[in-house]
Amino acid sequence: NAFQIEASTEEKSIRSKYPLLLHSNEHVELAFKGRGGVGRDKSYLTSHRILIKDGKGIGSKRKNYLSIPYASIQAFAVETAGKFDGDVDLKVWSTGKQYQSIHFAAGQIDIFAIQQYLNSKVNWTTRAEAAGILQEEEDYVHGTPCHTGKSGTFSSLMDWVGDNAKQLQPQEVDIRLKTETPVLLQDEKVDLAFKAGRDSVVFSDKRLMVVDVQGILGQKIQFISFPWRSISGFSVETAGAYFDRDTDMKLYTNILGYGMLRQDFRKSKADLFAIQKYLSNKILEGHDDDTSIVPGVDRKQGHVDPKTSWWFRENQRPLDAVEMDKYYHESIPILQKSEKVELAFKGRRDITLFTTKRLIDIDPQGMKGVKIEYTSIPWKSVVGFGVKTAGKHFDTDCEAIFWTDMMTFTDGDGNATPGMAYVEVDFNKNLVDILAIQKYLSAKLLGKAQDVPVPQNVFMTSSKETGFEKFLSKIGDDQRAIDPRELNTALHSEQPILLDEEHIIMAFKAGRDVTLFTNVRIMILDVQGWSGEKIQYTSIPYASIRAFSAESAGKWDRDSEVDIYTRNQWSLCKCALDFRKGKADIVAIQKFLSAIVLGNNDEAGKYLNSTESTLPTTNAAGLQSFLAWIEQNSSQENAEVTNQQLHSNPPILLDDEKVIRSYKSGRDMFVYTNQRLLKVDVQGLTGTKIEYKSIPYEWCTGFEIETAGNFDRDAELYLHTDIPGKKTTKHSILVKAHDIYELQEFIYGLLLFRDENTSSGEK
């Protein structure tokens, strides 16, 4: 258990022994040393990050330094000591990594001072505040508890055993959490508070706090803080009939290892719809009042509920959105004042609402349907979307599909389940126009997306295939470029699924399937079934792409590949696109994606081929010279030489992109530019298959280094990211050739002090 040591003295010692460990503008503000102050492990709370030193192996040579920038913290907790405990704890959940714990010696460390320190460092801005949205007066939630009479002894016992929370006076809780256990900021305000047995749940204007009292004596207490921006979705559930005494709240996050928070409330002691409205105020963002995007999806005239036959009842049918808007504003007040229902559907008992701010699923449960769960998915949490048309014969439903940024779950057998990361809504194919819903979702989720200004006459094509080559393309999954002009016309007129201002830039075909790159998204048309009538249209907005890679074809391969990494945790986490060798310009696709993902949308169009151009064939001589250059150079490359090489052969980098550092590891390379980490992975015996993986610095949220031990040849750098499909990237360097501390200095300069370094000029 760590003891506190003098921070200024420790900073001087670090700058003397390891002068590159801290940035010149960084200062150690709190310092701790393990094993009662005599151990080799240390923890530092600096002005910019949590820095944890972990001694490894025998001796003192091998060490691990983990850096957690304060901006990457998604949740944190402090824990007091129990009656017989010797330690108090700090736990931190950050993007891209499992939670970290620091144990402090009880009686030596003021754990509430640690709490207050982190309070001053964490970003408490809500999504609504970040979007500049002011709360409507009608949406204000009063925290005064419900008064429904006294509970009997047996009732109180059942609440305590069943963990059902009752509402508390927020003013009293506010005072206690600022004086007796000072865990809140002085300018923070408690709005709602609930108590279940010995535990409490507190809703403040900055966070959700869970107070977990542990042990027989109740002296061990954990205070977990969740900033509102860490919560991606939520649901509330009313109590059922008869002996069901509790209502329920679920909060869904994208925190690794903490995907859902759940709390039961005593049905007569908490206003569930006030809780629902409060969550809406904190988690939902703005709304779009553009009524022109709302389509007519009802295949029947008028807004009369057609009921349908019993075997179609599970698949939803249209309802009158105006009536539903009024009902859920007045009778069941789950909507905000400024929120409007745009589309409404009903299945056997379920109702689905598409509002200006979110997707709401209303799920009645039990025999009587009294127990109802209201689940909200904010549009901001949707990563990708799609629709699936119905098949020809016995397929009775069509579907809308949503991929979100929420965590997946694990079942009792340890198997991963999608949870709220993947959601499907089924519709009656005879009553609902699913392609109209697709266009509505496109306008809703892409309408404010940053457009890629590519002229409509700029596109890519390839030569026509004949003979055996054509046969191989039919039976294979590798795509070839096709002329997008005809397809662009068809998808605006015959099958109008594209937005009016949207146009196709690139199009590729593999068998019956088609992949489109438009000026606002990637769309994949997956044709299924014998008849080909069942088609899934999947849309990935460019804004959802976190990283990507392009892989050239090997000597004996027929296909090259592009992998798209999004912020979804389920099936859209990584999307692999195979392209026919010689039939798609993989370098042009890579540069087009680079421009978009790295924020250079205005430049994206110039990296594509001109009208009627054909794709270049592989330059064998150029490839061999590139491979020879990789193999002959030393461990650390000359950045200028690498810069020239990757701007010419192969031309991977953007025009305004510059290589700052490059390292060789075997045949592979790690290239650090001013905009991304580019990992060049040479594969196969011949080395002609090469993957270029791009990770923008924007999504690198933490890092750690591990020095070499007595018998090690290399040291390691680990980059942790907010990219679910690529959480960690490992970079090993030879200790004879490089100083790992110097590489760490370079990395934290990029991630923590990039703005300062840019303003002061390149070193």
Side-chain angles (χ1 to χ4, degrees), residues 431-448:
L431 301 174
V432 177
D433 184 352
I434 193 65
L435 293 182
I437 290 180
Q438 192 280 151
K439 195 163 185 179
Y440 163 79
L441 292 174
S442 298
K444 174 67 65 180
L445 298 170
L446 301 173
K448 294 183 179 179

Side-chain angles (χ1 to χ4, degrees), residues 11-294:
E11 182 176 337
K12 289 179 182 178
S13 175
I14 293 171
R15 295 195 186 278
S16 174
K17 294 180 181 179
Y18 311 107
L20 302 178
L21 187 61
L22 298 175
H23 192 273
S24 57
N25 295 338
E26 184 179 18
H27 299 287
V28 176
E29 296 178 338
L30 294 173
F32 308 92
K33 193 172 185 180
R35 298 190 66 181
V38 297
R40 59 182 181 176
D41 298 340
K42 295 180 180 179
S43 301
Y44 307 107
L45 303 184
T46 82
S47 52
H48 290 74
R49 57 176 162 167
I50 299 174
L51 180 60
I52 301 174
K53 174 192 172 185
D54 180 13
K56 301 278 188 178
I58 300 173
S60 60
K61 192 171 183 182
R62 187 167 169 234
K63 296 177 283 291
N64 180 284
Y65 291 93
L66 170 64
S67 293
I68 304 174
Y70 296 123
S72 71
I73 294 177
Q74 295 176 288
F76 66 94
V78 296
E79 189 174 280
T80 62
K83 178 73 173 178
F84 305 105
D85 291 333
D87 63 336
V88 292
D89 296 331
L90 168 66
K91 296 179 181 178
V92 176
W93 289 263
S94 60
T95 50
K97 193 166 179 62
Q98 292 282 1
Y99 81 87
Q100 298 294 309
S101 293
I102 303 176
H103 306 288
F104 304 103
Q108 298 292 326
I109 303 297
D110 182 356
I111 195 63
F112 295 119
I114 303 291
Q115 168 82 15
Q116 289 297 339
Y117 180 86
L118 286 178
N119 280 345
S120 68
K121 297 294 185 180
V122 171
N123 178 15
W124 300 109
T125 305
T126 67
R127 294 188 180 193
E129 290 169 346
I133 300 168
L134 298 177
Q135 183 176 310
E136 299 274 0
E137 185 176 348
E138 289 83 352
D139 292 332
Y140 179 76
V141 176
H142 297 275
T144 305
C146 305
H147 294 285
T148 57
K150 294 184 178 180
S151 299
T153 304
F154 179 75
S155 178
S156 299
L157 175 63
M158 290 300 295
D159 288 339
W160 184 77
V161 172
D163 198 30
N164 301 327
K166 63 179 181 179
Q167 198 162 352
L168 304 175
Q169 286 286 358
Q171 297 83 359
E172 295 178 5
V173 176
D174 190 285
I175 294 172
R176 285 178 178 273
L177 295 182
K178 290 177 180 176
T179 56
E180 298 174 12
T181 54
V183 292
L184 300 182
L185 290 164
Q186 287 303 309
D187 63 347
E188 191 170 356
K189 179 176 177 288
V190 173
D191 295 319
L192 295 170
F194 303 89
K195 193 171 187 298
R198 300 186 300 176
D199 303 335
S200 301
V201 179
V202 178
F203 298 71
S204 84
D205 56 347
K206 299 184 183 300
R207 74 186 99 192
L208 174 81
M209 176 174 283
V210 178
V211 183
D212 180 16
V213 181
Q214 305 170 15
I216 297 175
L217 300 177
Q219 292 186 8
K220 190 179 187 71
I221 307 174
Q222 185 180 65
F223 301 85
I224 313 177
S225 294
F226 297 92
W228 288 115
R229 61 181 172 79
S230 295
I231 298 173
S232 298
F234 58 95
S235 72
V236 295
E237 184 177 86
T238 62
Y242 305 119
F243 302 107
D244 192 357
R245 306 178 64 257
D246 61 326
T247 58
D248 189 58
M249 174 190 74
K250 296 175 186 173
L251 302 178
Y252 302 100
T253 79
N254 56 11
I255 301 173
L256 193 61
Y258 220 129
M260 183 180 74
L261 294 82
R262 183 171 184 172
Q263 180 61 57
D264 296 333
F265 301 101
R266 173 76 187 276
K267 67 179 179 181
S268 60
K269 296 293 184 180
D271 185 345
L272 189 68
F273 292 111
I275 295 171
Q276 196 277 158
K277 183 171 284 189
Y278 186 88
L279 294 173
S280 299
N281 294 340
K282 293 299 180 185
I283 299 170
L284 300 182
E285 293 192 12
H287 62 282
D288 188 352
D289 284 329
D290 184 6
T291 56
S292 65
I293 69 172
V294 182

Side-chain angles (χ1 to χ4, degrees), residues 260-455:
M260 183 180 74
L261 294 82
R262 183 171 184 172
Q263 180 61 57
D264 296 333
F265 301 101
R266 173 76 187 276
K267 67 179 179 181
S268 60
K269 296 293 184 180
D271 185 345
L272 189 68
F273 292 111
I275 295 171
Q276 196 277 158
K277 183 171 284 189
Y278 186 88
L279 294 173
S280 299
N281 294 340
K282 293 299 180 185
I283 299 170
L284 300 182
E285 293 192 12
H287 62 282
D288 188 352
D289 284 329
D290 184 6
T291 56
S292 65
I293 69 172
V294 182
V297 298
D298 195 341
R299 291 190 182 277
K300 303 241 180 223
Q301 291 297 321
H303 287 286
V304 179
D305 184 358
K307 298 296 183 185
T308 77
S309 305
W310 66 268
W311 54 85
F312 285 129
R313 286 289 177 87
E314 295 296 338
N315 302 327
Q316 302 201 52
R317 56 195 186 274
L319 295 177
D320 187 340
V322 176
E323 287 185 8
M324 292 295 100
D325 184 87
K326 182 179 180 181
Y327 183 77
Y328 287 107
H329 269 108
E330 299 175 2
S331 301
I332 307 292
I334 63 172
L335 301 178
Q336 292 181 298
K337 180 179 182 294
S338 60
E339 190 175 8
K340 294 179 182 178
V341 174
E342 296 180 322
L343 297 174
F345 304 90
K346 189 177 191 308
R348 186 182 298 274
R349 295 194 299 179
D350 296 357
I351 291 177
T352 301
L353 305 178
F354 292 73
T355 83
T356 48
K357 297 188 177 187
R358 56 182 153 172
L359 173 70
I360 303 177
D361 175 57
I362 302 171
D363 179 20
Q365 302 170 14
M367 293 287 291
K368 290 184 173 293
V370 177
K371 191 179 187 71
I372 304 175
E373 183 174 23
Y374 301 84
T375 301
S376 294
I377 301 175
W379 293 125
K380 185 68 175 178
S381 298
V382 176
V383 174
F385 62 96
V387 299
K388 187 184 293 185
T389 59
K392 187 170 185 179
H393 298 294
F394 302 106
D395 196 357
T396 62
D397 62 337
C398 47
E399 294 140 29
I401 305 166
F402 301 91
W403 290 270
T404 76
D405 63 357
M406 301 177 214
M407 286 298 300
T408 57
F409 298 154
T410 302
D411 63 18
D413 298 325
N415 301 314
T417 61
M420 293 295 292
Y422 176 86
V423 177
E424 282 189 6
V425 182
D426 296 335
F427 299 98
N428 187 314
K429 69 175 183 179
N430 299 316
L431 301 174
V432 177
D433 184 352
I434 193 65
L435 293 182
I437 290 180
Q438 192 280 151
K439 195 163 185 179
Y440 163 79
L441 292 174
S442 298
K444 174 67 65 180
L445 298 170
L446 301 173
K448 294 183 179 179
Q450 189 171 0
D451 181 37
V452 181
V454 179

Side-chain angles (χ1 to χ4, degrees), residues 623 627 667 682-690:
L623 179 61
L627 291 173
R667 296 189 301 176
V682 181
Q683 305 169 12
L685 291 172
T686 62
T688 54
K689 191 178 187 73
I690 305 175

